[in-house]
Amino acid sequence: MKKIIAVLFMLFILVGCGPTEKMAFGKSNDKVIEDISSQEKALGWTYAEIQIKKLYGLDKIKIKGDSENLKVMRMPDDKNSETGEEYKDIYSVRGNYVFQDKVYNFSMLYSLTDEDHYKVLYLVSNYDDSKSISVPLESDN
């Protein structure tokens, strides 16, 4: 029952309370944009929770979704420094989550590939330093 309520809550956040603007995909961006829509923030929050659970094998985490504990920003376009694959619609998500009454921090970078898909470029958390995702990016050099 709790899972159903959580899913409904996330859908409510994604849909919003009023008219929503359709996100444009594949638009070039060359700067950090901090003032993003609530839809973009909700997607970042949702994707972070999914990926943290998947990478660390955790089943019950709670992302701390207030403005003090969660920061979502649009990042400049980038490329894979090894393969040359281009990434647009990149978002940085940084924040905290709670697992078994303990607070952990995380940092994640992902690229939207279309309206329903994304690719994680970077994910790290102090929950387990031995597990992370890190795609080599030109901006890292």
Side-chain angles (χ1 to χ4, degrees):
M1 182 67 177
K2 287 183 181 181
K3 286 184 180 183
I4 292 171
I5 292 171
V7 168
L8 291 174
F9 178 71
M10 295 308 282
L11 287 173
F12 176 74
I13 289 172
L14 291 174
V15 172
C17 297
T20 59
E21 61 189 62
K22 188 156 176 87
M23 291 176 55
F25 295 96
K27 277 179 93 175
S28 291
N29 180 42
D30 62 355
K31 62 185 178 217
V32 174
I33 302 171
E34 293 187 40
D35 186 22
I36 62 172
S37 72
S38 58
Q39 180 184 16
E40 290 169 302
K41 289 177 185 175
L43 281 173
W45 179 356
T46 302
Y47 292 158
E49 185 171 310
I50 290 167
Q51 292 303 313
I52 290 167
K53 287 178 178 180
K54 184 177 175 181
L55 180 64
Y56 299 107
L58 307 176
D59 58 349
K60 295 182 182 185
I61 68 165
K62 180 172 177 10
I63 300 275
K64 297 181 99 185
D66 56 64
S67 60
E68 293 176 17
N69 292 300
L70 185 67
K71 183 83 171 167
V72 183
M73 298 181 294
R74 176 110 186 251
M75 303 303 287
D77 297 346
D78 212 335
K79 284 185 179 182
N80 184 312
S81 62
E82 293 176 353
T83 67
E85 181 179 359
E86 292 186 44
Y87 305 113
K88 294 183 183 277
D89 303 306
I90 298 174
Y91 289 86
S92 169
V93 185
R94 294 174 184 258
N96 299 311
Y97 63 94
V98 178
F99 178 67
Q100 295 180 342
D101 297 325
K102 206 168 170 199
V103 177
Y104 299 94
N105 60 48
F106 71 93
S107 178
M108 182 172 125
L109 194 65
Y110 69 93
S111 172
L112 294 173
T113 55
D114 63 32
E115 197 168 336
D116 299 317
H117 301 92
Y118 63 98
K119 179 175 185 162
V120 178
L121 305 175
Y122 181 80
L123 176 58
V124 65
S125 170
N126 64 339
Y127 174 77
D128 183 346
D129 294 331
S130 69
K131 293 182 180 178
S132 66
I133 298 170
S134 186
V135 172
L137 300 172
E138 285 185 355
S139 63
D140 292 339
N141 298 331

